[in-house]
Amino acid sequence: MSMPITNPLRIGLRQERVIPPQCLVIFGASGDLTQRKLVPALFELFNQRRLPSEFALLGCARRPWTDKEFRARMKAALGPIADKDPIAFDQFIQSIFYEPVDLQKPETIEKLKIRLDEIDRIRATHGNRTYYLSVSPNFYGSGCRALSAAGLLNDPKRSRIVIEKPFGRDYSSAQSLNRLVQNCAQESQVFRIDHYLGKETVQNILVMRFANTIFEPIWNRNYISSIQITAAETVGVEDRAGYYETSGALRDMVQNHLTQMLAITAMEPPGHFDPEAIRNEKSKVLQAAQLANEYEPWKCCIRGQYGPGGNQKHPLTGYREESGVDPNSTTETYVAMKLFINNWRWQGVPFYIRTGKRLAKRLSEIVLTFRDAPVHLFDSAGGSPTSNQLILRIQPNEGAEFHFEVKSPGSGMRSRPVEMEFSYEDSFGEPSDEGYVRLLADAMLGDPTLFTRSDEVEAAWRLYTPILQLIENSPWQLPIHRYESRTWGPTAADDLLAKDELLWRRP
Ligand code: BG6
């Protein structure tokens, strides 16, 4: 007898595309990303039965490890997840191999080729390969060149390359890197990863907008008065000071994750759901985006850096006191900015974006605030009626909420705001997959829809060029505002909105 389905929303869940036979080669396999994200994501795909039996993971890095050592490390990285289902894990671990490779040394790449052929034989992976560059960004260009010189990217149907962020440091370095990569592989082989695009709720923006008729007619300057995009973190720089000191929040979060959320929120509907159609629209909207004040960027951009905070029991160190950080560092851990999109749909609607480390709450969301009713007929319980808001909650508590006014019970005619809510977990009964699960699967399937195309990356860097140039040439014009750890960032960011008589949302 079959089990009754208690939640009709679960019907059809997990009917996923099966990944074709292949070998996933991770360069930089000794690094943090492989252990924290990639291998757990692969194990999840394995548990969802989406990895074919003809699958292999080949970890590559400079360390002279053996398969056995690498497998032991990956087991340790998975920790309790591996222990939960030892039989599944034992099966999964059989597909993992290791080869010492230095992308700068052609002789090690020759050995890699031999190893790949051997894996093809023992795991029946048919010469299909996905190369994942999880190495320092300085090696993206030379890594592609080395793979291409060894002939490993020759077959566009059977080889592809995944490149982690940051893709370039600014507009011109992103252009050069694009040129270099495109000399080594066709654009269709290149998968520039942005893990925010792997988040269920970021993809849901497309579905909310384009699968419903109620939103699209009001998704424009006639009905929306402003949009806020936030990615707030409670963590500090942790053990990544080396990288973060050269990056800062603008390069680490804004140019990629926040800009992708902006593009998906603001893009025009594509003609059909096809990777190129979607990426064309994202690219177009990014080309229309502009800082609110390109010539005086200090008027529309605030940079901040966390200072100490917490309490006596749990004191928190300031950024400059973190290990590996220059005590006089001017790296920003917070950015707030005002932008416009100069097109028919969005002309005049401010987009406010902000991100920061050590903020009061972990929260990523998009808030669309609608124009007020032209006449206020009713008194409001809260003084004046609140504007309608649609909030797309990216994380945590993935879902959406709508804020609107209703009649306050009683004999009068007063209004008060209420909320209507949709939660992924409550409705579908399970938390969403990590972004890397979706993106690794898509890369191995050869589906580029959720990866950024060369023109998108360049448009995103171009957008922030005036700020990057100012930081480079006259940093005093964009001073770093210190903020206490576990607060909502510098007060200067509040002033940015106060000038427009607005407030940041602080749920
Ligand atoms: C990464 C950044 O890309 O995104 C990190 O390098 C940041 O600094 C992380 O912490 C945030 O991702 P998420 O998925 O936790 O919001």
Side-chain angles (χ1 to χ4, degrees):
M1 208 174 69
S2 62
M3 290 285 287
I5 291 167
T6 50
N7 178 355
L9 291 180
R10 295 185 57 82
I11 297 173
L13 275 189
R14 302 265 167 243
Q15 285 179 359
E16 311 271 15
R17 297 169 292 175
V18 173
I19 295 159
Q22 68 189 286
C23 180
L24 172 68
V25 187
I26 301 180
F27 296 102
S30 56
D32 187 50
L33 187 76
T34 306
Q35 305 194 18
R36 265 191 323 116
K37 300 285 183 188
L38 303 182
V39 169
L42 285 171
F43 190 44
E44 177 61 29
L45 287 171
F46 176 83
N47 284 327
Q48 292 179 10
R49 303 189 194 293
R50 299 199 53 209
L51 286 184
S53 48
E54 306 92 343
F55 168 80
L57 161 64
L58 178 62
C60 298
R62 281 180 295 195
R63 308 212 181 157
W65 291 338
T66 58
D67 288 348
K68 200 169 157 206
E69 279 173 290
F70 186 60
R71 287 176 181 182
R73 281 170 196 275
M74 294 308 109
K75 181 167 195 278
L78 284 172
I81 321 177
D83 298 337
K84 218 161 73 187
D85 190 347
I87 299 176
F89 180 76
D90 280 349
Q91 223 180 324
F92 173 67
I93 206 81
Q94 299 307 318
S95 63
I96 297 186
F97 304 88
Y98 182 83
E99 178 68 27
V101 174
D102 181 342
L103 283 168
Q104 311 304 309
K105 293 193 178 144
E107 64 278 13
T108 64
I109 298 181
E110 282 311 309
K111 282 200 189 140
L112 167 68
K113 284 171 71 175
I114 297 169
R115 191 76 203 274
L116 282 169
D117 289 342
E118 185 187 307
I119 288 175
D120 272 345
R121 277 195 302 279
I122 56 176
R123 301 287 304 178
T125 43
H126 298 292
N128 291 326
R129 284 145 199 186
T130 299
Y131 301 100
Y132 197 120
L133 287 185
S134 172
V135 294
S136 153
N138 301 336
F139 297 117
Y140 291 164
S142 55
C144 287
R145 226 187 276 128
L147 294 176
S148 157
L152 289 171
L153 299 175
N154 283 354
D155 185 345
K157 293 231 158 26
R158 295 202 297 170
S159 56
R160 54 191 81 87
I161 182 154
V162 182
I163 305 181
E164 259 299 328
K165 64 152 250 258
F167 195 93
R169 280 190 59 74
D170 52 23
Y171 180 50
S172 74
S173 59
Q175 276 185 314
S176 314
L177 185 56
N178 268 330
R179 272 198 295 269
L180 201 157
V181 171
Q182 284 162 344
N183 277 335
C184 302
Q186 296 181 11
E187 179 65 28
S188 62
Q189 289 174 277
V190 184
F191 290 70
R192 297 172 194 79
I193 205 162
D194 183 313
H195 81 274
Y196 261 63
L197 291 178
K199 292 184 193 284
E200 200 80 74
T201 36
V202 173
Q203 295 154 38
N204 181 46
I205 303 170
L206 291 172
V207 179
M208 288 266 290
R209 288 189 58 192
F210 304 135
N212 298 298
T213 50
I214 55 166
F215 297 119
E216 215 28 41
I218 55 171
W219 206 272
N220 56 47
R221 64 191 301 277
N222 298 324
Y223 293 92
I224 291 177
S225 59
S226 69
I227 293 184
Q228 288 186 17
I229 302 179
T230 298
E233 298 185 87
T234 48
V235 292
V237 67
E238 302 188 293
D239 51 3
R240 297 164 74 221
Y243 151 75
Y244 202 82
E245 274 286 88
T246 62
S247 157
L250 189 58
R251 290 187 169 95
D252 186 49
M253 293 289 290
V254 176
Q255 182 273 342
N256 35 68
H257 308 325
L258 273 89
T259 309
Q260 285 299 321
M261 289 198 274
L262 173 96
I264 288 187
T265 307
M267 68 188 252
E268 293 300 313
H272 39 266
F273 196 73
D274 159 89
E276 293 324 311
I278 289 170
R279 299 191 302 172
N280 286 346
E281 296 306 337
K282 278 165 63 197
S283 179
K284 257 162 57 188
V285 81
L286 290 178
Q287 281 163 35
Q290 205 173 40
L291 298 178
N293 197 330
E294 283 213 312
Y295 299 103
E296 297 169 313
W298 57 89
K299 291 193 175 159
C300 64
C301 174
I302 302 296
R303 295 200 305 150
Q305 189 187 70
Y306 65 82
N311 50 37
Q312 254 184 347
K313 211 162 152 209
H314 299 291
L316 295 164
T317 1
Y319 180 70
R320 290 181 185 174
E321 294 77 47
E322 299 273 23
S323 131
V325 171
D326 176 351
N328 299 314
S329 172
T330 54
T331 301
E332 79 281 345
T333 61
Y334 177 98
V335 176
M337 217 182 278
K338 178 176 170 186
L339 304 157
F340 284 115
I341 295 180
N342 294 318
N343 65 11
W344 194 269
R345 185 187 287 263
W346 294 116
Q347 189 65 45
V349 178
F351 284 73
Y352 303 97
I353 62 179
R354 67 176 160 164
T355 184
K357 292 206 181 279
R358 279 283 176 75
L359 296 184
K361 253 191 179 172
R362 175 170 182 257
L363 163 90
S364 295
E365 64 174 26
I366 298 165
V367 182
L368 295 97
T369 302
F370 292 89
R371 295 199 184 282
D372 291 335
V375 178
H376 294 319
L377 291 179
F378 312 109
D379 287 341
S380 167
S384 58
T386 53
S387 308
N388 296 158
Q389 287 187 322
L390 177 65
I391 295 155
L392 306 173
R393 294 193 313 244
I394 308 299
Q395 65 189 23
N397 311 327
E398 288 97 340
E401 55 194 78
F402 185 50
H403 296 192
F404 57 104
E405 295 274 319
V406 296
K407 180 181 173 303
S408 199
S411 59
M413 282 300 274
R414 281 153 68 85
S415 73
R416 63 159 305 122
V418 290
E419 296 171 13
M420 219 156 68
E421 202 187 343
F422 154 71
S423 144
Y424 260 90
E425 193 162 359
D426 291 350
S427 295
F428 294 104
E430 61 179 57
S432 311
D433 283 341
E434 257 273 335
Y436 276 99
V437 174
R438 170 71 195 248
L439 294 177
L440 264 180
D442 281 8
M444 292 191 281
L445 280 157
D447 179 350
T449 313
L450 300 175
F451 295 82
T452 42
R453 209 171 54 187
S454 56
D455 51 341
E456 278 181 70
V457 177
E458 289 179 20
W461 280 117
R462 185 204 51 78
L463 177 55
Y464 304 111
T465 298
I467 296 177
L468 291 170
Q469 283 176 344
L470 198 68
I471 296 174
E472 175 101 17
N473 303 327
S474 39
W476 61 90
Q477 286 188 297
L478 261 185
I480 292 280
H481 300 270
R482 301 269 277 173
Y483 58 95
E484 193 183 324
S485 276
R486 292 287 159 84
T487 63
W488 276 109
T491 51
D494 297 335
D495 300 340
L496 181 71
L497 264 71
K499 279 190 243 156
D500 297 342
E501 297 181 10
L502 293 171
L503 295 169
W504 290 107
R505 202 175 100 87
R506 285 181 184 173

